């Protein structure tokens, strides 16, 4: 439920299916904080009001391009890289 709400708040999209695909520790050895990663599919427009202090710019990127960007070093955020790695097997079906 929370993942679906965050998806709508952050992207203006809702999903027909949301599946938990993994969990990661954000700073192992330093913190016990972890993140759950979900894959949302069957997206459709369903925006919620944006937070006044949040400014986001969204760009659709095909999966193959996102993977290329990860492998070339264009994507350097660890959470994004982990999510792409975990999503790969689900997206290649």
């Amino acid at each position: 439920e929370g993942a679906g709400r965050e998806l709508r708040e952050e992207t203006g999209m809702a999903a027909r299916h949301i599946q938990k695909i993994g969990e990661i520790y954000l700073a192992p050895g330093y913190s016990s904080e972890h993140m759950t990663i979900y894959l949302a599919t069957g997206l459709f427009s369903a925006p919620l009001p944006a937070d006044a202090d949040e400014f986001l710019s969204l760009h659709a990127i095909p999966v193959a391009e996102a993977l290329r960007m990860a492998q070339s070093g264009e994507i350097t955020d660890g959470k994004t890289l982990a999510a792409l790695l975990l999503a790969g097997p689900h997206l290649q079906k």
Side-chain angles (χ1 to χ4, degrees):
E1 188 177 306
R5 183 179 57 254
E6 284 296 317
L7 176 65
R8 290 184 63 201
E9 288 174 1
E10 302 297 330
T11 69
M13 305 293 283
R16 288 184 176 79
H17 186 257
I18 297 178
Q19 173 185 359
K20 177 180 171 180
I21 58 172
E23 295 185 35
I24 61 171
Y25 283 96
L26 300 178
Y30 173 78
S31 169
S32 62
E33 183 179 9
H34 75 281
M35 175 180 281
T36 303
I37 299 174
Y38 295 89
L39 177 64
T41 56
L43 301 177
F44 59 93
S45 181
L48 290 174
D51 292 339
D53 62 344
E54 218 168 30
F55 305 97
L56 300 174
S57 176
L58 301 177
H59 303 277
I61 300 173
V63 173
E65 177 67 5
L67 292 171
R68 185 203 62 75
M69 292 171 71
Q71 292 169 348
S72 73
E74 291 175 69
I75 296 175
T76 58
D77 174 67
K79 295 177 294 241
T80 303
L81 293 170
L84 283 169
L85 178 68
L86 291 168
H90 300 278
L91 298 173
Q92 295 171 1
K93 290 181 179 180

